[in-house]
Amino acid sequence: MSVKLGVLNSFFRRKKFELVPHSHWQALDRDVDYIRAVDNLQSNLINYIRRPCRSIDLQPVDEDGNSILEVHIHHDALLEKLWKYLAIALIHRDDCNIDAFRIMHIQLVPQVMSQLERALRTKRLKTLFLHDNNFGWDGIVFVAEVIKANKTLTALSLNFNGMDDLDSAIQLGEALGGHPFLESLSFRHCTFGSDPMTLRAIVTACRSVKFLDLRNTDIGSEGAATVSEFLATNPLVETVNLSTNSFNALDAAVVAQGLSTNTKLRILYMSNNPVLEDGKKALLKAIFDTTSLNAAAASNHTCELIFDQPQSVREYASSCIMGDCNTIIFTSDLTYYFLHFHQYRSNGNVNKQFHRSGHEQEEKDRVCHP
């Protein structure tokens, strides 16, 4: 053990940490669940400061460690010393070799992020999850700097945070574009603002990403165009989730244009989008175009589409009359059905054989929910 580590360990062991008194939170009109959650946050911070750790996981929890989903912990000046001590421990203690860092439903302010950024620069993170942290442009810059310093990072999740500042989005895009191993990227429930260049700066930089989650981001028609252009470049991405984005039939047709020239995408989620029949048909045609033998041969046979209701799409799929169709997945009420098309020719006639089987758990296991 180094002298520095020994001194720090001794200091943190002797240091008497006192929790913020309940009267402080009561004066701020915080309820019982909030006070319980902030008490446990302080206790967890103290444990991470005092003991060796391989991961940091901070979120509102009760005494049993169960998440309190209704609570969001706001920043308070009385908590700043604990954040400072955590950063010091991460920087100087050799036994704090963390590879996962998660902070969820806790506000992060610039002074705290500045301390954490210096600490995380010294690590070899594989996972960085920051959810619902109420940060602005400075939070995006913080993430970009951590990404640049951690070339080992494979999973980044920024769910429920604002991403609507163009300048910081460009910095994040540059960090993503220069990263060799990042495979999973989630922006679920993020806001990208009214400037389409914000989303474009981030998405087009995802060179190594294999899973991209844009659920509930309300990216609109311009976002559909951005995703389509991205898919048309045939990137490495294998799964894209565009569920619940209010896409209409025209938006689906735009996405289909990019999909038609893509050969690497394996799964495209379009659930809970009012794309109607025309939108579904455009997407299916991009995968398997039956207008001619040449069109069928040139179609993308690798991607599985996931919608809400199977009936109308099944009717369209049953009209396919040539070529081998790919597997199409339909979802409804958490039941997953595989609709396989097997064609064979007999006496010059085209016949079809349909098989349908449930694969709920198999498909659940395949879907990443960071």
Side-chain angles (χ1 to χ4, degrees):
M1 180 182 297
S2 67
V3 174
K4 180 187 293 186
L5 179 57
V7 171
L8 279 174
N9 284 342
S10 177
F11 169 76
F12 287 132
R13 280 196 301 267
R14 294 196 316 270
K15 174 69 177 176
K16 185 178 181 180
F17 294 99
E18 294 183 356
L19 302 187
V20 177
H22 288 185
S23 58
H24 174 75
W25 308 116
Q26 291 165 350
L28 296 173
D29 201 26
R30 305 302 188 193
D31 61 21
V32 174
D33 284 341
Y34 186 96
I35 295 174
R36 184 184 300 118
V38 78
D39 278 353
N40 290 323
L41 170 63
Q42 294 173 84
S43 297
N44 288 333
L45 281 168
I46 293 168
N47 286 336
Y48 287 131
I49 291 167
R50 283 178 167 166
R51 301 172 184 173
C53 54
R54 291 302 305 271
S55 65
I56 301 289
D57 193 344
L58 297 168
Q59 58 183 307
V61 296
D62 59 23
E63 290 85 350
D64 299 321
N66 301 313
S67 297
I68 307 178
L69 300 179
E70 298 81 9
V71 171
H72 176 92
I73 298 178
H74 300 276
H75 176 72
D76 192 284
L78 297 184
L79 299 176
E80 287 184 10
K81 280 191 176 181
L82 288 178
W83 289 112
K84 178 181 178 180
Y85 284 136
L86 176 65
I88 291 172
L90 291 175
I91 292 172
H92 296 292
R93 287 181 54 174
D94 298 334
D95 54 356
C96 286
N97 297 317
I98 64 169
D99 59 14
F101 190 82
R102 306 179 187 90
I103 299 182
M104 304 181 186
H105 312 298
I106 299 171
Q107 184 180 11
L108 294 176
V109 296
Q111 57 267 37
V112 171
M113 290 187 290
S114 177
Q115 294 166 350
L116 293 176
E117 188 263 319
R118 288 195 297 270
L120 296 179
R121 277 178 174 272
T122 67
K123 303 304 168 187
R124 296 174 61 84
L125 291 181
K126 294 181 180 178
T127 301
L128 177 63
F129 284 6
L130 299 174
H131 293 180
D132 188 22
N133 307 116
N134 289 121
F135 54 56
W137 65 267
D138 41 11
I140 306 174
V141 174
F142 158 66
V143 172
E145 294 301 318
V146 174
I147 293 173
K148 291 177 185 177
N150 286 269
K151 297 302 184 183
T152 53
L153 196 69
T154 60
L156 173 65
S157 182
L158 300 175
N159 298 345
F160 295 92
N161 280 305
M163 313 294 295
D164 51 1
D165 178 76
L166 178 58
D167 290 340
S168 55
I170 291 173
Q171 292 187 53
L172 179 59
E174 291 173 350
L176 293 172
H179 201 285
F181 301 118
L182 188 64
E183 294 186 352
S184 178
L185 187 57
S186 180
F187 294 108
R188 196 190 324 168
H189 287 275
C190 287
T191 54
F192 290 93
S194 58
D195 190 341
M197 293 303 297
T198 303
L199 178 66
R200 186 184 304 273
I202 296 173
V203 170
T204 56
C206 299
R207 298 174 183 173
S208 63
V209 171
K210 293 185 178 179
F211 176 88
L212 177 61
D213 193 345
L214 291 169
R215 273 177 286 176
N216 296 88
T217 50
D218 196 25
I219 55 178
S221 298
E222 291 176 329
T226 295
V227 172
S228 178
E229 292 173 12
F230 172 62
L231 293 177
T233 64
N234 210 19
L236 296 177
V237 67
E238 296 178 354
T239 301
V240 173
N241 197 327
L242 298 176
S243 298
T244 320
N245 273 301
S246 301
F247 288 156
N248 57 31
L250 292 177
D251 299 329
V254 170
V255 173
Q257 293 175 6
L259 185 62
S260 63
T261 58
N262 185 290
T263 61
K264 294 186 176 69
L265 193 67
R266 296 295 181 266
I267 304 175
L268 177 63
Y269 291 88
M270 291 290 290
S271 303
N272 200 26
N273 283 303
V275 298
L276 305 178
E277 298 306 304
D278 289 343
K280 293 176 181 178
K281 289 179 179 179
L283 288 165
L284 286 166
K285 185 177 180 181
I287 293 175
F288 185 64
D289 187 351
T290 63
T291 56
S292 70
L293 286 172
N294 288 336
S299 295
N300 174 4
H301 293 188
T302 65
C303 186
E304 301 168 353
L305 298 176
I306 300 182
F307 298 108
D308 299 304
Q309 300 297 331
Q311 291 80 10
S312 58
V313 188
R314 187 181 297 124
E315 292 173 1
Y316 167 77
S318 66
S319 68
C320 297
I321 60 172
M322 61 183 66
D324 292 325
C325 248
N326 68 296
T327 300
I328 303 172
I329 300 180
F330 306 98
T331 68
S332 179
D333 297 329
L334 295 180
T335 301
Y336 295 76
Y337 295 101
F338 286 71
L339 180 59
H340 300 268
F341 293 82
H342 301 285
Q343 286 195 166
Y344 59 91
R345 297 180 181 273
S346 175
N347 297 325
N349 296 319
V350 177
N351 300 293
K352 291 185 175 62
Q353 187 176 17
F354 294 86
H355 301 284
R356 196 177 83 171
S357 58
H359 287 271
E360 178 176 354
Q361 189 58 46
E362 178 182 338
E363 181 56 24
K364 277 185 179 180
D365 293 340
R366 294 174 59 185
V367 182
C368 177
H369 295 290

